Amino acid sequence: MSMGKRVTLGTLGLLLAGGATLALASISCAPEHNPNYAGPPFVAQVVGFNPDDYSVAQVMYLPTADKASHCDDLDLDGGGGPQATEVAVNTAFRVVFSELVDADKVEQVDADGIGTALYRGLINVTNRDGTPVVSTLDPTLTLGPDAFTGVYQPAGGSGCFGTVNTVDIGTGAPIPGPALLAYMQATIPGLPSGSELTLVVDGTVPGHEIVDKGGAGLEGGKFKLDITTTAMTVDCPSLDACNVVPLPDPTAEADLGTMGFVQVGFTAQVADPAGVFLYEDGQTTPVAGVTAVLDANLSALVSETQSPLIVDLIAGTEADPLPLDLLPGATYTIVVTSAVLDPWGMAAQTIPDDTTCADAAVTVAGCVWAGSFTMPVPAADGGI
């Protein structure tokens, strides 16, 4: 029989449009199956996944053994409770319940009965003390009740893991269900980096309570899981791997004595790039006339990335950018400091075990990463 009016494939089409996970699911079961288990529903699993690459996922929470009595396929070798709780700043969440919940209460539907969005406030991320997360750079940027969207996915049945023919297209693995799929709204630039936070599943939102098919509310009313976000760092352990390269001036003939601009990648979106500097070998002050700008705002110079994860070093200003003019044969050091901030005001941090700041020819307070390069010297005939 049908387990609800939600059409899973239609829901997944919506998820594809929203950049979240894909799945192929059946929503049928034996006619005699009772979709309601005795007792209140509880959170049976939490999975964090990358909404841009749904094959990248990790289990963040498993129920304790006493909560998994009817979950025959549940692997508790790692023990119950929190598992891998450090997540990337762009993580989306799959919150799995022990049984089917009342879809009408948790999800808005269109005229065809297809789920379109979770009701506000069902999924939240707060500070550990329960207070809202607010950016220190922009007080209007908050993680409030509207920060997350998503859909309810019955995933084929009730019980901790749904049916065995519910599979993830990316991995081919069974998908636990039923679940709330929650990912951040497009207006939210990811979670704050390097932060201790709490994921909250609120089963008490007035009018949209999380209840099972028998009307029993979510165990405890709210489910909370402490999470930690990865720190914002330079997106590489070495200069070559970082795409910090001398790019030629795109407006002139190739001249090995002229750089277009330098690019430095980060693991989180950058809001304040002012902590990236360029030093000439042997100098204790940055090269004059070099400006750090956000790559996403750089329009006058050609960039292949145009990414908010990139900082460009240019000459001139962001409004009137110019290619860098560096000396042939000279060695330069790019220095990234903790003055680089993400949109929440969290500072860039040192890559674990990185020694580039200690190895750099220049000492800069607050250095979190450094990389050096030498400008090539043109041959007399203009060749290399």
Side-chain angles (χ1 to χ4, degrees), residues 48-61:
F49 65 93
N50 184 334
D52 299 316
D53 183 359
Y54 47 85
S55 67
V56 179
Q58 62 179 355
V59 176
M60 300 172 59
Y61 172 83

Side-chain angles (χ1 to χ4, degrees), residues 233-244 265 267 351 354 369:
T233 63
V234 173
D235 193 20
C236 60
S238 69
L239 187 67
D240 292 339
C242 198
N243 194 32
V244 178
T267 59
I351 301 169
D354 179 72
W369 183 87

Side-chain angles (χ1 to χ4, degrees), residues 212-237:
D212 66 13
K213 292 294 185 175
L218 181 68
E219 184 178 77
K222 296 181 181 181
F223 169 85
K224 298 180 180 180
L225 178 66
D226 287 343
I227 61 176
T228 302
T229 54
T230 56
M232 178 171 66
T233 63
V234 173
D235 193 20
C236 60

Side-chain angles (χ1 to χ4, degrees), residues 246-257:
L247 302 177
D249 177 2
T251 64
E253 295 292 328
D255 178 1
L256 294 178

Side-chain angles (χ1 to χ4, degrees), residues 15 18-21 49-54 56 90-93 183-184:
L15 286 175
T21 186
F49 65 93
N50 184 334
D52 299 316
D53 183 359
Y54 47 85
V56 179
N90 66 331
T91 296
F93 301 99
Y183 47 94
M184 282 172 282

Side-chain angles (χ1 to χ4, degrees), residues 111-351:
D112 297 319
I114 297 175
T116 60
L118 294 177
Y119 286 109
R120 67 192 304 267
L122 293 173
I123 302 293
N124 295 287
V125 171
T126 70
N127 291 311
R128 289 283 174 88
D129 61 3
T131 58
V133 178
V134 181
S135 170
T136 58
L137 295 180
D138 177 9
T140 66
L141 177 58
T142 65
L143 282 179
D146 294 314
F148 286 85
T149 185
V151 292
Y152 171 64
Q153 187 183 58
S158 57
C160 287
F161 273 71
T163 57
V164 295
N165 61 342
T166 304
V167 297
D168 184 278
I169 293 176
T171 65
I175 295 178
L180 301 183
L181 301 181
Y183 47 94
M184 282 172 282
Q185 299 274 15
T187 55
I188 303 296
L191 299 170
S193 60
S195 300
E196 294 185 343
L197 306 168
T198 299
L199 174 69
V200 181
V201 182
D202 189 348
T204 65
V205 177
H208 305 296
E209 297 84 357
I210 298 174
V211 298
D212 66 13
K213 292 294 185 175
L218 181 68
E219 184 178 77
K222 296 181 181 181
F223 169 85
K224 298 180 180 180
L225 178 66
D226 287 343
I227 61 176
T228 302
T229 54
T230 56
M232 178 171 66
T233 63
V234 173
D235 193 20
C236 60
S238 69
L239 187 67
D240 292 339
C242 198
N243 194 32
V244 178
V245 293
L247 302 177
D249 177 2
T251 64
E253 295 292 328
D255 178 1
L256 294 178
T258 300
M259 292 180 67
F261 50 99
V262 172
Q263 294 183 315
V264 184
F266 290 84
T267 59
Q269 184 169 328
V270 178
D272 187 347
V276 183
F277 304 94
L278 188 65
Y279 288 80
E280 187 177 351
D281 193 22
Q283 300 298 310
T284 58
T285 57
V287 177
V290 176
T291 304
V293 299
L294 295 178
D295 185 61
N297 296 328
L298 190 63
S299 58
L301 290 177
V302 175
S303 170
E304 295 181 356
T305 56
Q306 291 292 286
S307 167
L309 304 178
I310 300 292
V311 171
D312 293 322
L313 291 178
I314 61 170
T317 65
E318 186 172 0
D320 185 21
L322 298 171
L324 295 173
D325 187 9
L326 302 182
L327 299 175
T331 298
Y332 294 89
T333 300
I334 306 150
V335 177
V336 176
T337 73
S338 56
V340 176
L341 304 178
D342 75 4
W344 301 93
M346 303 302 296
Q349 298 184 29
T350 302
I351 301 169

